[in-house]
Amino acid sequence: MPADDRQKNARETLDTLNDLSQLLQTGLDKQTLSICVGMLEAGANPDTLAAVIKELRKEKD
């Protein structure tokens, strides 16, 4: 698949994830979602990532 097609697919996927995030009222913006996706693609444990995000939110409040 050409690089342009991969970039287009990545943007569309991120847009869809952002739409879902907004519908579910996760409070995650597009940049944060992009970082999370990158971490998951790099092998981060999803449950651990979610727990870290929750903990960071607690500390923020």
Side-chain angles (χ1 to χ4, degrees), residues 14-34:
L14 187 57
D15 288 342
T16 300
L17 285 173
N18 188 54
D19 290 344
L20 286 171
S21 176
Q22 298 305 308
L23 286 171
L24 296 172
Q25 299 176 350
T26 65
L28 300 174
D29 60 22
K30 204 173 212 181
Q31 181 181 7
T32 305
L33 286 169
S34 179

Side-chain angles (χ1 to χ4, degrees), residues 1 8 15 19 29 32 38-39 44-45 47 49-50 54 60:
M1 178 181 289
K8 182 181 176 192
D15 288 342
D19 290 344
D29 60 22
T32 305
M39 292 175 71
N45 180 298
D47 293 327
L49 181 56
K54 287 180 184 179
K60 182 181 174 186

Side-chain angles (χ1 to χ4, degrees), residues 41-61:
E41 287 176 342
N45 180 298
D47 293 327
T48 303
L49 181 56
V52 169
I53 291 170
K54 287 180 184 179
E55 187 62 33
L56 290 171
R57 284 186 176 166
K58 284 182 191 175
E59 290 179 14
K60 182 181 174 186
D61 295 334

